[in-house]
Amino acid sequence: MAFRDFSTGSRPRPTRCTSASSSPATAPTPPATSAKEPIAQLVFFFDSVANTHAPLEKSAQLVLTEIQSRLKYLVEVGLGYLTLDRPARTLSGGEIARVNLTTCLGSALTHTLFVLDEPTVGLHHRDIHRLTGVMQALRDKGNTLVIVEHDEAVMREADNLIDIGPLAGEAGGHITFSGRIRPGQGHPLSAKDRKLSQSATLPYLFEGKSIPTPTSYRKSKGSLGIRQASANNIKSLSLDLPLGVFVALTGVSGSGKSTLAHPIIYNNLARHFGLTIDDEPAPANLTGLDEINGVKLIDQSPLSRTPRSTPAVLLGAFEHIRQLFALTPAARNQELTPGYFSFNSGPGRCQRCAGNGFEKVEMQFLSDLFLTCPECHGSRFTRAAQEFKLHGKSVTEVLNLTTTEALEFLSEIEPANNKQKLLLRKATFALQPLVDTGLGYLRLGQPLNTLSGGEAQRLKLCQLLTSTEGSINTLLILDEPTTGLHFVDIERLLTIFHRLVDAGYSLLVIEHQTDVIKNADHVIEIGPEAGTHGGQIIFEGTPKQLAKKKTHTGIALSESDMIRPGHEHALDVKELK
């Protein structure tokens, strides 16, 4: 989806829309630069054009109606803060999906199947009801919508719910529930069927199950001062960011959260610590820099663009596994080193495909072809290398194990000496975070360039959990880490967040998901609205304090029953230390 830049062209001229009653003297004044005005403001302008010049000629009315409807659709899906000259490459995945959705609405399609993948990404709770209204309008035109979604509000508005599980990866793929859910009618299953159900979603929707919230909050160990910061809609902002705690940065979509976190905080800190950045830091004065030793941006960018790296390689587990293979009696008899069992180098890898497992066939006018290597049949290793067994499995078979299977496999090995015992412990330590973050279904040899953005982000968190360097006084910045996550996965992710803070990290998490906000030690809300009506700090404090405020996020927290009887004891952050 691309936007045409109208900023250098002619502006809208309502006086050119002729009608019997129109008069240039009464025409509304067009915005100075229409392409640079927020879409929400343009809606009012074109509405005034329609009112001032009614009735219009048929052709002019048709054009004006199309302009009005498409702009209003963008506002309805929560994109009223965007401008028409905004480059498409700067839009988030969620924003692009919603722009495409409005394109479908404007085309007036009927009897069409629409498939939407996580349309609520980046959308605040305040705007979700607008999005569901747009989707219902599409349905009412005779269309069918299939929506992949984890947001509770969207699921409750659906006409039919299909739950796939019960777990992820090979333990999933089964329909655990399919049926209608209607507001106010209670649980869709009978008491008997409820006991047999394997659905992981229904308990959260109808059985009162919820993600536990802390009973106490950590105290800040210092602060990072930000003074006179300006970028996009943020003007001369001053803030003291608490350190040594879990901070949630929230606010309606387009309020300035990413602007504060990226060009202002991250880029300035990255420049200070000598890190490479793509864009210049936004103007800001930072104090308290001696309070932290580094900064890391944990985003959803790819970890690797080649198949050479895998989860086991990235986390260091494969190095220990290769050493275990080299300690087997057969390998020791031939005096093999751990390098022999590497698919990136060494004599044990397939020489034809250089350990890739496939061959690339370049096509001049078509997409390149990737064919399974005819010599190693995708195993990456020679037949000779696969003859060596560790507890009955070859190196190829070990790489084909899921992380959960690999941990079970390693636990079954009886160490022959202290060295083997240490290597088994190190390999287990490196792989355990994958299970803890809900990635137990990933295979040890799965290429990193095949992972989704959410999987890549969680794998970066696993790297932090297995690293012993730079964990003290480091600021981590995460943008919408719950994207694509189920309730179960969010609960796991929050446990990881608490572990990271207890290990010495400071967390700044941009998030709309209410369960994440409830688990934060400190909340910063930017608003009050989006675009030019945002960019201000409207709240700082604990989640419980925010739930009592009438801000958009405060209302969302209070509506989600933040404090529930019997749940206050569910999670104590002190127990995680």
Side-chain angles (χ1 to χ4, degrees), residues 74-345:
L74 287 168
V75 173
E76 287 178 8
V77 297
L79 297 177
Y81 58 89
L82 294 180
T83 58
L84 295 182
D85 67 345
R86 175 81 172 264
R89 62 180 176 81
T90 66
L91 300 179
S92 67
E95 288 172 334
I96 291 175
R98 279 175 272 153
V99 169
N100 291 334
L101 179 61
T102 59
T103 303
C104 298
L105 283 168
S107 62
L109 292 173
T110 59
H111 304 291
T112 303
L113 173 65
F114 292 92
V115 180
L116 291 81
D117 193 354
E118 302 280 355
T120 62
V121 170
L123 203 59
H124 190 273
H125 185 270
R126 190 272 308 263
D127 298 314
I128 288 180
H129 73 279
R130 296 181 182 177
L131 180 63
T132 55
V134 170
M135 294 188 291
Q136 288 168 347
L138 267 177
R139 175 204 60 192
D140 295 340
K141 289 182 178 180
N143 299 298
T144 301
L145 281 77
V146 176
I147 303 168
V148 181
E149 188 56 78
H150 295 101
D151 185 84
E152 182 176 348
V154 175
M155 286 190 279
R156 291 189 182 278
E157 290 291 330
D159 299 312
N160 197 85
L161 180 67
I162 300 175
D163 192 19
I164 298 180
L167 301 175
E170 294 182 355
H174 304 284
I175 295 179
T176 58
F177 173 79
S178 178
R180 296 182 66 85
I181 54 173
R182 298 176 181 175
Q185 288 194 351
H187 204 293
L189 296 178
S190 65
K192 181 179 179 181
D193 292 337
R194 211 175 300 173
K195 294 179 180 180
L196 301 175
S197 173
Q198 291 184 302
S199 171
T201 304
L202 293 183
Y204 288 92
L205 295 180
F206 300 104
E207 298 174 21
K209 187 175 182 179
S210 64
I211 296 174
T213 57
T215 58
S216 60
Y217 302 111
R218 301 176 184 86
K219 299 296 182 181
S220 172
K221 298 178 181 178
S223 64
L224 177 69
I226 303 165
R227 300 289 181 267
Q228 298 300 308
S230 297
N232 298 332
N233 66 334
I234 293 180
K235 308 298 180 185
S236 301
L237 178 144
S238 294
L239 168 72
D240 288 320
L241 180 68
L243 298 175
V245 294
F246 173 8
V247 178
L249 179 60
T250 187
V252 297
S253 305
S255 60
K257 302 182 299 297
S258 295
T259 297
L260 175 60
H262 293 272
I264 293 178
I265 297 179
Y266 176 74
N267 284 0
N268 277 287
L269 288 176
R271 172 68 61 85
H272 173 75
F273 290 110
L275 303 178
T276 302
I277 52 177
D278 296 329
D279 302 313
E280 285 295 312
N285 296 321
L286 269 61
T287 60
L289 293 172
D290 56 337
E291 298 278 352
I292 58 175
N293 295 334
V295 62
K296 291 184 179 180
L297 181 64
I298 312 297
D299 58 13
Q300 296 194 2
S301 60
L303 282 160
S304 174
R305 299 190 181 278
T306 71
R308 286 291 182 185
S309 188
T310 71
V313 172
L314 181 73
L315 299 178
F318 193 48
E319 177 184 351
H320 307 309
I321 292 173
R322 289 190 292 109
Q323 292 183 52
L324 287 170
F325 270 98
L327 290 177
T328 58
R332 294 181 66 180
N333 288 338
Q334 297 190 29
E335 299 181 349
L336 298 180
T337 64
Y340 180 86
F341 299 97
S342 171
F343 55 78
N344 286 324
S345 62

Side-chain angles (χ1 to χ4, degrees), residues 347-362:
R349 68 174 182 172
C350 174
Q351 299 304 311
R352 175 162 180 168
C353 66
N356 281 319
F358 62 84
E359 291 182 328
K360 179 180 178 181
V361 180
E362 295 185 358

Side-chain angles (χ1 to χ4, degrees), residues 378-516:
S379 68
R380 299 186 176 207
F381 292 93
T382 62
R383 290 185 179 180
Q386 296 182 66
E387 293 295 325
F388 298 95
K389 305 289 184 180
L390 174 65
H391 198 60
K393 292 186 181 296
S394 67
V395 62
T396 298
E397 291 172 327
V398 171
L399 287 174
N400 284 333
L401 295 175
T402 66
T403 306
T404 303
E405 293 170 341
L407 287 173
E408 184 179 351
F409 167 74
L410 293 173
S411 68
E412 295 173 350
I413 300 177
E414 290 291 338
N417 49 53
N418 289 335
K419 186 175 183 179
Q420 282 189 346
K421 184 177 181 179
L422 178 61
L423 290 172
L424 287 170
R425 185 167 45 220
K426 287 183 176 181
T428 300
F429 175 77
L431 294 176
Q432 186 61 48
L434 287 170
V435 176
D436 296 340
T437 54
L439 297 176
Y441 57 89
L442 292 183
R443 298 190 181 279
L444 301 191
Q446 182 173 342
L448 294 184
N449 60 347
T450 65
L451 302 183
S452 67
E455 290 171 333
Q457 188 175 43
R458 281 182 282 167
L459 199 51
K460 293 175 184 178
L461 291 176
C462 292
Q463 278 186 289
L464 297 176
L465 291 171
T466 57
S467 173
T468 57
E469 299 179 359
S471 62
I472 305 300
N473 298 331
T474 299
L475 175 63
L476 304 180
I477 301 176
L478 297 93
D479 196 343
E480 298 278 357
T482 61
T483 298
L485 297 189
H486 187 270
F487 299 111
V488 174
D489 298 314
I490 292 174
E491 186 170 350
R492 289 173 176 167
L493 184 66
L494 287 170
T495 302
I496 297 300
F497 284 173
H498 290 301
R499 285 175 56 185
L500 287 170
V501 174
D502 292 336
Y505 289 101
S506 298
L507 259 65
L508 177 61
V509 181
I510 303 175
E511 192 57 75
H512 297 114
Q513 216 278 344
T514 54
D515 291 305
V516 176

